[in-house]
Amino acid sequence: MQVLELSSLIVKVAFRNLWLYRLKTVVIASLLGFGSFLSIVGLTLLRDVEATMQESIIGSVAGHLQMYSKKAKDDLAIFGSTFMGRQDIGVLEDISTYRDALLRHPEVQAVIPMGIDMGMLGRGNEMDESLDVLRAALKGGDPVIINERVEQLGFQIEQLGRELAERKKVTQDQVEVVKEEADLAKVKEAAFTESVARGDESALQYLETRIAPLSGEKLPIYLMYLGTDIDLYRQNFPKFRVVAGEVLPPGQRGIMLSNKVREDQLKNTAARLFDKLNKRVVKLKIPIKGDAENLRLVQDLPRQYNQIMAYLDRAEAVELHESLKQLGIPATEGTLIAQLVQQVKDFLKVDDQNFEARYRWFYEQIAPKIKLYEISPGETILLRSYTKSGYIKSLPLKVYGVYSFQGLEDSDIAGVMNIIDLVSLRELYGQMTESSLKELQEMRSQVGIKEIAAENAEDALFGDGAAATVESRVEAPTPAPQATIQVKPVIPDMFDVTEVGKGLALNAAIKLKDDVKLQDLKESLEKDLKSQGLDVKIVDWQQASGFVGQFVVIVRLVLIFALGVIFVVALVIINNSIIVGTLNRIREIGTMRAIGAQKSFVVEMFLAETAITGLIGSCVGTFIALGLLIWLGDYGIPSSHDVVTFLFSGPRLYPKLHPGIILLSPLFVTGVATLASVYAARHAAHVTPAEAMQEKE
Amino acid sequence: MSLAVRIENVSKVYPLGKTSVQALKNIELAIQEGEFTTIAGPSGCGKSTLLNLIGCMDTPTTGEVYVEGQPISQLKDKELTRLRLEKLGFIFQSFNLIPVLTVYQNIEFPLLIHGGFTKKERAARIDALMEEVGLQPQAQQKSNELSGGQRQRVAIARALVTQPRIVLADEPTANLDSATGERIIDLMKTINRTHKTTFIFSTHDPQVMKQASRVVRLKDGAVLEA
Ligand SMILES: Nc1ncnc2c1ncn2[C@@H]1O[C@H](COP(=O)(O)OP(=O)(O)OP(=O)(O)O)[C@@H](O)[C@H]1O
Ligand SMILES: [Mg+2]
């Protein structure tokens, strides 16, 4: 009771003084309020980001823990390290040993073997594609289809002629152009067209080796791929979603393309520019006029007319020519191609007024006529990679489908990875798998056959199936003797499902039954494996994810630093104000001391003042923070950047209220401020009672 | 009768820059319990210094001060504070009330610091004292709403509430007009008589000196007449 009454007295006196020096009180309260506000908002967002990031990382690729060889030269960085390139994280010789050892622990739910590597995607241009289609048609033997394809080819050759004529006007190398013109003139002859329609091999090869390169080679694309046990992977990574096509079936060689990679790198350039502009102009509402980035995209768009022209056949060209006229884009004069080129260029000139309409028109009228994506499910790509020993290994992989991670559709970081089967990964990595050994044997026997039948090499090369020749061309444009080695005599595109579970992996994700005690478990698992002679590093998802995982650590440091600065400023001001305030209050302090108040009483009085100021300030700060968080909880914080999207595990972060943070932050701020004013309060308590006597009113 | 205060050969030297000021020189003084003593003398003669020593707010440079038989020169701040709280009451020239508190709360303040009194006990003491000093109607008023005379009455009540043996007052009437000052001295004298409380106060005012039962005259830090 007594203590309470004394305290209420102290509080009363404290309040009086706070009111008396209210400007100072307001300054300190605001500072401490801001500190509480920052602490609540910062810690809440940090915790939410950590949770969403954890969800992103654990649910997409990393799992709870990642295991890789102790002999690794680099740290595992699933989402890339600060410097790009291939990492050397060693190998896990036989994943089954590790898996069996790990699965003995009741906490471990699954061990998913993985390997992340990078390869090059071999690409042809539009002419190459047309020729591929033609070869397929020739193989099919339907004269109507063959005719259509030949017609399409003729149309492309016509366009090529126009491009060449334009190039002739600007290029220095006239000799080269004249040579190319001669080549082109040859294939325009009716006799040549006829032999193409008959499927004459030398004519086709002439087109492939001399004419196709004229329309320009595309730069190779680097693809990151994750080789894994697709079944296990799907069971354990809930963020995986198929966007197009189907899931890579277990026991099949193949690739699932990342939707983001496909959109960003394999989509028709004109369509891609339209998409980018649509995102900026329509979704983000940034007008074209006055925005440098938009203007750059707008300028770039008409230059992509060939991205549309190249895919059209004559019928489609005529149709487009007419519908563009109806749209109000008139043709000038000249050939159909010349007219259409002008119309398409005009169509691609967009501005703030016509953009939305043009965008819609593009997808309604033009997109169905062109090849929107370079690669689509059902097609086969050729993936090339440097094996560990430095050879180039190439592998045809069927594209089964396109996938993305739920909530991370827009994220470059999450979207960089394509998924392939583990057996193919091993081969690209340079491991001899059962199927590659078989393949090697077959290859040897084939080469043997070819050596015997050397006098009829052309038949041996091209007689037994178009598929082989297609590959040989992509692999080596000029048929050189060693190219025969790389001619794949039909690699079996299936493998024994159990093969996946046995051999090499580069790393493995460990999925736990629940994610508590991650750190303890990490160490005990590592120790346990070591006792069985398996020397591995086990890292948590945050470490395994590379620089993204470190991001939160950095944000936390920045936040702590900011809070620290605010605290220091607040504490300096508090201390200063108490010391200065003491001068004004010598008489009061002295009187209290004279009539029997101990020094401790004076100290308590000053601490009470800081505590009350802190409590008031931080309560206000807390309410503001609470309001902001509730508001943000409804509206969400939009992600401004790809890294942020990844951290948010989606385009927006909806903060949650954490009672612990909300209650403890103001108390902590008040507590620290109060403790920090002890020094100044003691200083105040040094006022002697005699000083009260001398002070005149 | 026992001694309320005994001062034995006390000197007080204040350091003042590189030199020093001798405020008191070899003071010998004894004050009986129940005395109504005034300390008089010209400005700077050492009146306040002497009262501070008796009031346990300072310790002598040499010599010894006994308060209620207790030597104080070796006491620590905490013990001196306790002594002030329990044995002494103070009345100041500028009243020194705590402005935010009511009359009642100002008087209650020492009891709360002291501790150990129930609310009832406190109320009984405070009510009685307020009646004695004639402030009952102002009990719930803020002290800064009162006149100088009223404030000094509150101060007297506050000084008495712990029932100290000795009340010290350094020029209690200096900030009051002479009529009010006289009434304050009268009040002190009444209390001195009824409660047998020892009063020691300083003054310049010859009118006030006349009221005292004993006058101790100081000059240049020495006792001229006791
Ligand atoms: N804290 C101190 N430090 C230094 N010198 C002091 C201090 N207190 C008092 N003195 C000096 O000691 C001497 C006695 O001072 P004291 O205040 O006791 O005189 P006083 O009789 O109360 O005077 P007044 O009538 O003006 O109040 C004076 O010369 C004064 O300047
Ligand atoms: Mg004086």
Short mmCIF file of all heavy atoms in Angstrom, two decimals, chain A residues 505-543:
data_model
loop_
_atom_site.label_atom_id
_atom_site.label_comp_id
_atom_site.label_asym_id
_atom_site.label_seq_id
_atom_site.Cartn_x
_atom_site.Cartn_y
_atom_site.Cartn_z
N ALA A 505 24.37 -37.77 -57.17
CA ALA A 505 23.63 -36.51 -57.08
C ALA A 505 24.64 -35.47 -56.63
O ALA A 505 25.71 -35.82 -56.11
CB ALA A 505 22.48 -36.61 -56.10
N LEU A 506 24.35 -34.23 -56.88
CA LEU A 506 25.28 -33.19 -56.43
C LEU A 506 24.92 -32.71 -55.04
O LEU A 506 25.78 -32.41 -54.22
CB LEU A 506 25.26 -32.01 -57.41
CG LEU A 506 25.58 -32.36 -58.86
CD1 LEU A 506 25.66 -31.09 -59.70
CD2 LEU A 506 26.88 -33.14 -58.98
N ASN A 507 23.64 -32.63 -54.81
CA ASN A 507 23.17 -32.25 -53.49
C ASN A 507 21.84 -32.94 -53.28
O ASN A 507 21.33 -33.60 -54.17
CB ASN A 507 23.03 -30.73 -53.36
CG ASN A 507 22.16 -30.13 -54.44
OD1 ASN A 507 22.38 -30.36 -55.62
ND2 ASN A 507 21.16 -29.38 -54.03
N ALA A 508 21.31 -32.78 -52.08
CA ALA A 508 20.01 -33.39 -51.84
C ALA A 508 19.25 -32.52 -50.86
O ALA A 508 19.82 -31.93 -49.95
CB ALA A 508 20.17 -34.79 -51.27
N ALA A 509 17.94 -32.41 -51.11
CA ALA A 509 17.09 -31.67 -50.18
C ALA A 509 16.59 -32.64 -49.13
O ALA A 509 16.27 -33.78 -49.44
CB ALA A 509 15.91 -31.07 -50.94
N ILE A 510 16.60 -32.18 -47.90
CA ILE A 510 16.06 -33.01 -46.83
C ILE A 510 14.78 -32.35 -46.35
O ILE A 510 14.78 -31.20 -45.92
CB ILE A 510 17.06 -33.12 -45.65
CG1 ILE A 510 18.38 -33.70 -46.16
CG2 ILE A 510 16.47 -33.99 -44.54
CD1 ILE A 510 19.49 -33.67 -45.12
N LYS A 511 13.70 -33.08 -46.48
CA LYS A 511 12.42 -32.55 -46.04
C LYS A 511 12.12 -33.16 -44.67
O LYS A 511 12.23 -34.36 -44.49
CB LYS A 511 11.36 -32.96 -47.06
CG LYS A 511 10.07 -32.26 -46.90
CD LYS A 511 10.02 -30.98 -47.69
CE LYS A 511 8.63 -30.38 -47.48
NZ LYS A 511 8.38 -29.22 -48.27
N LEU A 512 11.73 -32.29 -43.73
CA LEU A 512 11.48 -32.78 -42.38
C LEU A 512 9.97 -32.87 -42.14
O LEU A 512 9.18 -32.26 -42.84
CB LEU A 512 12.10 -31.83 -41.36
CG LEU A 512 13.60 -31.60 -41.53
CD1 LEU A 512 14.08 -30.56 -40.53
CD2 LEU A 512 14.38 -32.89 -41.35
N LYS A 513 9.64 -33.62 -41.08
CA LYS A 513 8.21 -33.74 -40.77
C LYS A 513 7.68 -32.44 -40.21
O LYS A 513 6.58 -32.04 -40.51
CB LYS A 513 7.98 -34.91 -39.82
CG LYS A 513 8.15 -36.20 -40.62
CD LYS A 513 7.86 -37.44 -39.86
CE LYS A 513 8.09 -38.65 -40.74
NZ LYS A 513 8.90 -39.70 -40.16
N ASP A 514 8.45 -31.78 -39.37
CA ASP A 514 8.11 -30.41 -39.04
C ASP A 514 9.41 -29.63 -38.85
O ASP A 514 10.46 -30.21 -38.64
CB ASP A 514 7.19 -30.31 -37.82
CG ASP A 514 7.83 -30.84 -36.59
OD1 ASP A 514 7.76 -32.08 -36.38
OD2 ASP A 514 8.44 -30.06 -35.85
N ASP A 515 9.30 -28.30 -38.92
CA ASP A 515 10.54 -27.54 -39.08
C ASP A 515 11.07 -26.96 -37.78
O ASP A 515 11.88 -26.05 -37.76
CB ASP A 515 10.37 -26.44 -40.13
CG ASP A 515 9.22 -25.51 -39.78
OD1 ASP A 515 8.63 -25.70 -38.69
OD2 ASP A 515 8.93 -24.62 -40.58
N VAL A 516 10.60 -27.46 -36.66
CA VAL A 516 11.17 -26.96 -35.40
C VAL A 516 12.55 -27.59 -35.18
O VAL A 516 12.85 -28.66 -35.69
CB VAL A 516 10.25 -27.25 -34.19
CG1 VAL A 516 9.03 -26.36 -34.23
CG2 VAL A 516 9.85 -28.70 -34.15
N LYS A 517 13.35 -26.90 -34.43
CA LYS A 517 14.68 -27.38 -34.07
C LYS A 517 15.54 -27.71 -35.30
O LYS A 517 16.25 -28.70 -35.35
CB LYS A 517 14.57 -28.60 -33.16
CG LYS A 517 14.08 -28.23 -31.77
CD LYS A 517 14.29 -29.36 -30.80
CE LYS A 517 13.15 -30.33 -30.87
NZ LYS A 517 13.21 -31.45 -29.98
N LEU A 518 15.44 -26.84 -36.28
CA LEU A 518 16.19 -27.03 -37.51
C LEU A 518 17.69 -27.07 -37.24
O LEU A 518 18.42 -27.90 -37.77
CB LEU A 518 15.86 -25.87 -38.44
CG LEU A 518 15.76 -26.15 -39.92
CD1 LEU A 518 14.65 -27.13 -40.17
CD2 LEU A 518 15.48 -24.86 -40.66
N GLN A 519 18.13 -26.14 -36.40
CA GLN A 519 19.58 -25.99 -36.18
C GLN A 519 20.16 -27.20 -35.45
O GLN A 519 21.22 -27.70 -35.81
CB GLN A 519 19.86 -24.72 -35.38
CG GLN A 519 19.36 -23.46 -36.05
CD GLN A 519 19.88 -23.28 -37.46
OE1 GLN A 519 21.05 -23.54 -37.75
NE2 GLN A 519 19.00 -22.88 -38.37
N ASP A 520 19.43 -27.66 -34.44
CA ASP A 520 19.93 -28.81 -33.67
C ASP A 520 20.01 -30.04 -34.56
O ASP A 520 20.98 -30.79 -34.57
CB ASP A 520 18.99 -29.13 -32.50
CG ASP A 520 18.93 -27.96 -31.52
OD1 ASP A 520 19.85 -27.11 -31.62
OD2 ASP A 520 18.01 -27.92 -30.71
N LEU A 521 18.93 -30.21 -35.32
CA LEU A 521 18.82 -31.39 -36.16
C LEU A 521 19.93 -31.41 -37.21
O LEU A 521 20.53 -32.44 -37.50
CB LEU A 521 17.45 -31.39 -36.83
CG LEU A 521 17.03 -32.74 -37.40
CD1 LEU A 521 16.93 -33.74 -36.27
CD2 LEU A 521 15.70 -32.61 -38.10
N LYS A 522 20.20 -30.23 -37.75
CA LYS A 522 21.23 -30.08 -38.77
C LYS A 522 22.55 -30.67 -38.27
O LYS A 522 23.18 -31.47 -38.95
CB LYS A 522 21.38 -28.58 -39.04
CG LYS A 522 22.32 -28.22 -40.12
CD LYS A 522 22.26 -26.73 -40.37
CE LYS A 522 23.17 -25.98 -39.41
NZ LYS A 522 23.16 -24.53 -39.68
N GLU A 523 22.90 -30.28 -37.05
CA GLU A 523 24.17 -30.75 -36.51
C GLU A 523 24.13 -32.24 -36.20
O GLU A 523 25.09 -32.96 -36.49
CB GLU A 523 24.53 -29.96 -35.26
CG GLU A 523 25.26 -28.68 -35.63
CD GLU A 523 25.23 -27.66 -34.51
OE1 GLU A 523 25.27 -28.09 -33.34
OE2 GLU A 523 25.16 -26.46 -34.82
N SER A 524 23.02 -32.70 -35.64
CA SER A 524 23.00 -34.11 -35.25
C SER A 524 22.99 -35.01 -36.49
O SER A 524 23.61 -36.08 -36.49
CB SER A 524 21.82 -34.40 -34.31
OG SER A 524 20.63 -34.45 -35.05
N LEU A 525 22.32 -34.55 -37.54
CA LEU A 525 22.32 -35.34 -38.78
C LEU A 525 23.72 -35.40 -39.37
O LEU A 525 24.20 -36.45 -39.80
CB LEU A 525 21.35 -34.75 -39.81
CG LEU A 525 19.86 -34.89 -39.53
CD1 LEU A 525 19.05 -34.21 -40.63
CD2 LEU A 525 19.45 -36.34 -39.41
N GLU A 526 24.36 -34.25 -39.37
CA GLU A 526 25.72 -34.18 -39.93
C GLU A 526 26.66 -35.12 -39.17
O GLU A 526 27.43 -35.86 -39.76
CB GLU A 526 26.21 -32.74 -39.86
CG GLU A 526 27.27 -32.41 -40.89
CD GLU A 526 27.56 -30.92 -40.93
OE1 GLU A 526 26.74 -30.16 -41.51
OE2 GLU A 526 28.60 -30.52 -40.38
N LYS A 527 26.54 -35.06 -37.84
CA LYS A 527 27.39 -35.91 -37.00
C LYS A 527 27.12 -37.38 -37.25
O LYS A 527 28.03 -38.18 -37.38
CB LYS A 527 27.13 -35.57 -35.52
CG LYS A 527 28.34 -34.91 -34.86
CD LYS A 527 28.07 -34.69 -33.39
CE LYS A 527 28.32 -33.23 -33.03
NZ LYS A 527 27.52 -32.79 -31.89
N ASP A 528 25.84 -37.69 -37.33
CA ASP A 528 25.45 -39.08 -37.52
C ASP A 528 26.00 -39.62 -38.84
O ASP A 528 26.54 -40.73 -38.90
CB ASP A 528 23.92 -39.18 -37.49
CG ASP A 528 23.46 -40.62 -37.66
OD1 ASP A 528 23.89 -41.45 -36.83
OD2 ASP A 528 22.72 -40.90 -38.62
N LEU A 529 25.90 -38.81 -39.90
CA LEU A 529 26.41 -39.26 -41.20
C LEU A 529 27.92 -39.43 -41.14
O LEU A 529 28.48 -40.36 -41.71
CB LEU A 529 26.03 -38.27 -42.30
CG LEU A 529 24.55 -38.28 -42.73
CD1 LEU A 529 24.34 -37.29 -43.84
CD2 LEU A 529 24.12 -39.66 -43.18
N LYS A 530 28.55 -38.53 -40.44
CA LYS A 530 30.01 -38.60 -40.33
C LYS A 530 30.43 -39.89 -39.65
O LYS A 530 31.41 -40.53 -40.04
CB LYS A 530 30.53 -37.39 -39.56
CG LYS A 530 32.04 -37.31 -39.66
CD LYS A 530 32.61 -36.01 -39.17
CE LYS A 530 34.12 -36.12 -39.34
NZ LYS A 530 34.75 -34.87 -39.58
N SER A 531 29.68 -40.28 -38.62
CA SER A 531 30.02 -41.50 -37.90
C SER A 531 29.89 -42.72 -38.81
O SER A 531 30.46 -43.76 -38.56
CB SER A 531 29.10 -41.66 -36.68
OG SER A 531 27.80 -42.00 -37.11
N GLN A 532 29.13 -42.57 -39.89
CA GLN A 532 29.01 -43.68 -40.84
C GLN A 532 29.94 -43.49 -42.04
O GLN A 532 29.79 -44.14 -43.06
CB GLN A 532 27.57 -43.78 -41.33
CG GLN A 532 26.60 -44.05 -40.20
CD GLN A 532 25.18 -44.11 -40.69
OE1 GLN A 532 24.89 -44.71 -41.72
NE2 GLN A 532 24.28 -43.50 -39.96
N GLY A 533 30.87 -42.57 -41.88
CA GLY A 533 31.85 -42.37 -42.94
C GLY A 533 31.33 -41.53 -44.10
O GLY A 533 31.94 -41.47 -45.16
N LEU A 534 30.21 -40.87 -43.93
CA LEU A 534 29.68 -40.03 -44.99
C LEU A 534 29.93 -38.57 -44.62
O LEU A 534 29.27 -38.02 -43.75
CB LEU A 534 28.17 -40.28 -45.17
CG LEU A 534 27.79 -41.73 -45.48
CD1 LEU A 534 26.29 -41.91 -45.42
CD2 LEU A 534 28.32 -42.15 -46.84
N ASP A 535 30.90 -38.00 -45.30
CA ASP A 535 31.32 -36.66 -44.92
C ASP A 535 30.53 -35.63 -45.73
O ASP A 535 30.82 -35.40 -46.91
CB ASP A 535 32.82 -36.51 -45.19
CG ASP A 535 33.50 -35.90 -44.00
OD1 ASP A 535 32.81 -35.64 -43.00
OD2 ASP A 535 34.73 -35.69 -44.07
N VAL A 536 29.55 -35.03 -45.09
CA VAL A 536 28.74 -34.05 -45.82
C VAL A 536 28.57 -32.77 -45.02
O VAL A 536 28.82 -32.73 -43.82
CB VAL A 536 27.31 -34.59 -46.12
CG1 VAL A 536 27.35 -35.72 -47.10
CG2 VAL A 536 26.62 -34.97 -44.82
N LYS A 537 28.20 -31.75 -45.77
CA LYS A 537 27.79 -30.50 -45.13
C LYS A 537 26.28 -30.47 -45.19
O LYS A 537 25.70 -30.73 -46.23
CB LYS A 537 28.29 -29.30 -45.94
CG LYS A 537 29.69 -28.86 -45.60
CD LYS A 537 29.98 -27.58 -46.36
CE LYS A 537 31.43 -27.58 -46.77
NZ LYS A 537 31.79 -26.48 -47.64
N ILE A 538 25.67 -30.15 -44.07
CA ILE A 538 24.22 -29.96 -44.09
C ILE A 538 23.94 -28.52 -43.68
O ILE A 538 24.43 -28.05 -42.66
CB ILE A 538 23.52 -30.95 -43.14
CG1 ILE A 538 23.74 -32.37 -43.65
CG2 ILE A 538 22.02 -30.64 -43.06
CD1 ILE A 538 23.06 -33.44 -42.84
N VAL A 539 23.23 -27.82 -44.54
CA VAL A 539 22.93 -26.42 -44.25
C VAL A 539 21.42 -26.22 -44.27
O VAL A 539 20.70 -26.99 -44.88
CB VAL A 539 23.58 -25.47 -45.28
CG1 VAL A 539 25.09 -25.52 -45.19
CG2 VAL A 539 23.13 -25.79 -46.69
N ASP A 540 20.98 -25.18 -43.55
CA ASP A 540 19.54 -24.94 -43.56
C ASP A 540 19.15 -24.21 -44.84
O ASP A 540 19.99 -23.74 -45.61
CB ASP A 540 19.10 -24.18 -42.31
CG ASP A 540 19.74 -22.81 -42.21
OD1 ASP A 540 20.00 -22.19 -43.26
OD2 ASP A 540 19.98 -22.36 -41.09
N TRP A 541 17.85 -24.11 -45.04
CA TRP A 541 17.33 -23.53 -46.28
C TRP A 541 17.85 -22.13 -46.53
O TRP A 541 18.09 -21.74 -47.66
CB TRP A 541 15.80 -23.55 -46.26
CG TRP A 541 15.21 -22.83 -45.08
CD1 TRP A 541 14.93 -23.39 -43.87
CD2 TRP A 541 14.89 -21.46 -44.98
NE1 TRP A 541 14.44 -22.43 -43.03
CE2 TRP A 541 14.39 -21.24 -43.68
CE3 TRP A 541 14.95 -20.38 -45.87
CZ2 TRP A 541 13.97 -19.99 -43.24
CZ3 TRP A 541 14.53 -19.14 -45.42
CH2 TRP A 541 14.04 -18.96 -44.13
N GLN A 542 18.03 -21.41 -45.43
CA GLN A 542 18.43 -20.01 -45.58
C GLN A 542 19.85 -19.91 -46.13
O GLN A 542 20.14 -19.14 -47.03
CB GLN A 542 18.35 -19.34 -44.22
CG GLN A 542 18.23 -17.84 -44.34
CD GLN A 542 17.70 -17.22 -43.06
OE1 GLN A 542 17.37 -17.91 -42.11
NE2 GLN A 542 17.62 -15.91 -43.05
N GLN A 543 20.71 -20.75 -45.58
CA GLN A 543 22.09 -20.77 -46.06
C GLN A 543 22.17 -21.31 -47.47
O GLN A 543 22.92 -20.83 -48.30
CB GLN A 543 22.90 -21.68 -45.15
CG GLN A 543 23.88 -20.96 -44.26
CD GLN A 543 24.59 -21.98 -43.41
OE1 GLN A 543 23.97 -22.69 -42.61
NE2 GLN A 543 25.88 -22.09 -43.60
#
